[in-house]
Amino acid sequence: MSTLLITGGCGFIGSNFIRHLLHSDPSVSVINFDSLTYAGNLANLTDVSSHPLYTFVKGDITNREQVRAAMGRGVTDVIHFAAESHVDRSIQDSGPFVRTNVIGTQILLDAAREFGVKKYVQVSTDEVYGSLGADGFFTEETPLHPNSPYSASKAGADLLVQAYQHTFDLPAVITRCSNNYGPYQFPEKLIPLFVTNLLRDEPVPVYGDGQQVRDWIHVLDHCTGVEAAWRQGKPGEVYNFGGRCEKTNLDLTHLLLDLLGKPQTLIRYVKDRPGHDRRYAIDCTKAERELGWSPAWTFDRGIRDTIHWYQENEAWVTGIKNKDYLSYYESQYGHFS
Ligand code: NAD
Ligand code: DAU
């Protein structure tokens, strides 16, 4: 029987991961440790909140005593999702990113050592590799070259994980995934922002020329990757995950307009993100070869399913859209409607 401490389980990917695990493995119990920032939402896990193998603990990874108390509940493994995750917010104020992503990770690593965990999984991102030109892919050997305060804080955390693995023999692995989409994603990120705006006939803000490329993967494919890294990953190793699904932001925007039957006049070109990375693309052959993982969702099926989810969960969207993040958004990119 494993007892997993899952940090950030009330966010987008963490909540999908917890649901996936509770539905697929009755020998695993889950402690969801989350401080409930603007991005953390208990409503993401309402359906499993009374599951006998599930416990929620409200706590902050930057608080050493709260982390130690949670670890003392018999934790055998740690899967670390908690982070400040939005690039635009890191450009506005990098403080919370350094605190949570770097210092929070250091505190979690200390606790993982102290409590002798069997496996520690650091959920990182392809953004630590920087930006690609028109050709090539990120492999696990690509040097770190983070460009935003967000990706710099994630790279700092990765280096700490590698140092703890090397120095203290901590059984840690790192995963680096490309852009996720799917249900429960906070509508500040491109796909949920655009889908929820379009469903209300509101305009969508395309940054700069819209020719930046992202490699899209369904969140449940990322979840099976993290699970495989936890179960089979070799300590000290890094595993990349991606969807082999590159799209420019503008092509993706047109696709969303088509699928929702909305006019192109809803596109608004707004000022570019400062330091905007041009292209991400992941080579995930190592994970396929060594973990037996591969993405199961086609983008066509995944995006239709995701749009359907946002259509069916209007109350979830309204609960979020009424909060103050929209005023933050407009202060950054202007009132685009
Ligand atoms: P998210 O912003 O949706 O959720 C983050 C969660 O962490 C929230 O529930 C929040 O309350 C919690 N949290 C934040 N600070 C905390 C703190 N100090 N203590 C405890 N909990 C805290 O993020 P996400 O999109 O689900 O991303 C999860 C992880 O996956 C992150 O580490 C991110 O860097 C990584 N990642 C995300 C993507 C993506 O496309 N979204 C891709 C690759 C990697
Ligand atoms: O690659 C993995 C990363 O993907 C994760 O580590 C991050 O946590 C996650 O937020 C995501 O980062 P991006 O910056 O790529 O995602 P975002 O959805 O913010 O933006 C996707 C692209 O769309 C990017 O080129 C910026 C652009 N964009 C975004 C928004 C929100 C727009 O043109 N308009 C928008 O309104």
Side-chain angles (χ1 to χ4, degrees), residues 46-96:
T46 312
D47 54 326
V48 295
S49 61
S50 52
H51 193 291
L53 296 174
Y54 173 75
T55 309
F56 173 68
V57 174
K58 186 172 188 301
D60 191 321
I61 57 167
T62 66
N63 183 316
R64 200 173 283 275
E65 285 322 306
Q66 288 177 359
V67 169
R68 291 185 70 252
M71 293 290 291
R73 291 166 171 249
V75 168
T76 57
D77 302 77
V78 173
I79 306 200
H80 179 29
F81 288 98
E84 288 292 339
S85 68
H86 194 43
V87 173
D88 295 324
R89 285 177 185 265
S90 80
I91 294 167
Q92 166 96 336
D93 179 7
S94 61

Side-chain angles (χ1 to χ4, degrees), residues 73-264:
R73 291 166 171 249
V75 168
T76 57
D77 302 77
V78 173
I79 306 200
H80 179 29
F81 288 98
E84 288 292 339
S85 68
H86 194 43
V87 173
D88 295 324
R89 285 177 185 265
S90 80
I91 294 167
Q92 166 96 336
D93 179 7
S94 61
F97 288 75
V98 174
R99 269 194 300 282
T100 284
N101 300 359
V102 182
I103 297 171
T105 296
Q106 181 236 336
I107 287 171
L108 209 56
L109 287 166
D110 282 343
R113 270 189 75 203
E114 180 184 346
F115 287 84
V117 300
K118 287 191 290 184
K119 189 71 81 67
Y120 173 102
V121 181
Q122 177 75 11
V123 181
S124 185
T125 169
D126 63 352
E127 295 198 16
V128 297
Y129 296 125
S131 184
L132 291 165
D135 302 317
F137 297 90
F138 296 135
T139 73
E140 289 80 357
E141 309 305 321
T142 303
L144 302 190
H145 195 296
N147 289 318
S148 72
Y150 162 69
S151 53
S153 68
K154 292 293 289 185
D158 285 13
L159 293 176
L160 279 171
V161 173
Q162 288 174 329
Y164 273 61
Q165 196 279 326
H166 181 82
T167 308
F168 306 115
D169 225 10
L170 186 78
V173 300
I174 296 174
T175 65
R176 295 185 181 138
C177 190
S178 62
N179 286 61
N180 286 215
Y181 69 96
Y184 299 99
Q185 187 168 27
F186 194 87
E188 64 184 350
K189 311 280 162 61
L190 186 144
I191 287 183
L193 177 71
F194 283 21
V195 169
T196 56
N197 279 11
L198 293 174
L199 284 172
R200 296 165 175 217
D201 294 310
E202 290 169 5
V204 291
V206 171
Y207 298 167
D209 63 5
Q211 293 307 314
Q212 305 80 12
V213 173
R214 296 295 183 265
D215 173 358
W216 293 97
I217 182 172
H218 192 275
V219 63
L220 290 177
D221 282 332
H222 185 191
C223 290
T224 57
V226 171
E227 181 185 8
W230 164 54
R231 294 188 193 275
Q232 291 136 252
K234 229 174 103 206
E237 294 294 319
V238 175
Y239 300 96
N240 285 350
F241 300 110
R244 292 205 176 89
C245 178
E246 291 183 56
K247 291 190 185 304
T248 66
N249 294 337
L250 201 53
D251 285 347
L252 176 56
T253 304
H254 283 296
L255 178 67
L256 296 176
L257 287 166
D258 283 350
L259 288 172
L260 286 158
K262 302 293 178 185
Q264 300 203 6

Side-chain angles (χ1 to χ4, degrees), residues 263-335:
Q264 300 203 6
T265 50
L266 285 175
I267 296 178
R268 296 285 186 279
Y269 289 93
V270 299
K271 72 175 175 180
D272 208 354
R273 172 185 280 174
H276 201 167
D277 283 341
R278 199 68 178 165
R279 174 171 170 258
Y280 304 145
I282 278 273
D283 177 345
C284 55
T285 49
K286 178 179 175 184
E288 290 173 328
R289 194 178 58 244
E290 297 185 13
L291 301 177
W293 170 89
S294 60
W297 287 72
T298 62
F299 188 75
D300 183 59
R301 176 175 152 235
I303 197 67
R304 287 170 193 273
D305 184 84
T306 302
I307 289 173
H308 183 67
W309 188 88
Y310 282 96
Q311 284 169 325
E312 294 293 303
N313 289 276
E314 174 59 23
W316 183 92
V317 175
T318 308
I320 288 169
K321 286 232 176 201
N322 287 341
K323 290 193 183 151
D324 65 353
Y325 92 95
L326 278 180
S327 54
Y328 150 79
Y329 205 84
E330 284 177 4
S331 75
Q332 288 304 289
Y333 291 98
H335 192 74

Side-chain angles (χ1 to χ4, degrees), residues 1-4 6 9 14-32 44-56 223 227 230-231:
M1 184 90 188
S2 302
T3 300
L4 266 60
I6 297 182
S15 62
N16 276 285
F17 184 80
I18 288 174
R19 181 175 298 100
H20 160 73
L21 215 55
L22 290 175
H23 286 166
S24 59
D25 187 348
S27 72
V28 171
S29 66
V30 165
I31 300 172
N32 173 11
N44 292 0
L45 286 168
T46 312
D47 54 326
V48 295
S49 61
S50 52
H51 193 291
L53 296 174
Y54 173 75
T55 309
F56 173 68
C223 290
E227 181 185 8
W230 164 54
R231 294 188 193 275

